Amino acid sequence: TKGVFDLLSSGFLYIAGRDRMYRPIICLRSKRILDMNPFPTGDDIVTAVLMIFEYLIRVMEKPGHIENMMLIINS
């Protein structure tokens, strides 16, 4: 929906690249969500997070390998 894409384009959650061990780095800026007016619904937030993680699984990970990722939470 439009709310989910607006939420993703706000930059509250984004893929920042990879670290030196080639693990995906995800940055979460919680202040971006808290400053939004109107506040996004819980369903929109969950859908946006799932879209990011689905992208990571499909595009940035190797099939058949156990991988982890780095999550940076910046308030």
Side-chain angles (χ1 to χ4, degrees):
T1 65
K2 185 180 184 307
V4 174
F5 289 108
D6 289 341
L7 193 56
L8 285 172
S9 66
S10 73
F12 92 97
L13 181 72
Y14 62 94
I15 301 169
R18 295 181 182 268
D19 66 1
R20 64 185 180 97
M21 301 298 291
Y22 297 105
R23 295 175 292 214
I25 301 171
I26 301 147
C27 291
L28 171 69
R29 295 193 279 183
S30 57
K31 185 153 175 52
R32 290 273 174 133
I33 296 174
L34 296 174
D35 290 342
M36 289 183 180
N37 191 12
F39 194 76
T41 65
D43 289 340
D44 285 347
I45 293 171
V46 169
T47 303
V49 171
L50 287 175
M51 286 178 70
I52 291 286
F53 280 101
E54 188 66 28
Y55 178 83
L56 282 173
I57 291 168
R58 290 180 186 245
V59 176
M60 297 184 78
E61 292 186 354
K62 286 184 185 177
H65 287 83
I66 297 173
E67 294 202 25
N68 56 8
M69 61 187 73
M70 305 296 293
L71 176 64
I72 300 172
I73 301 173
N74 187 7
S75 57

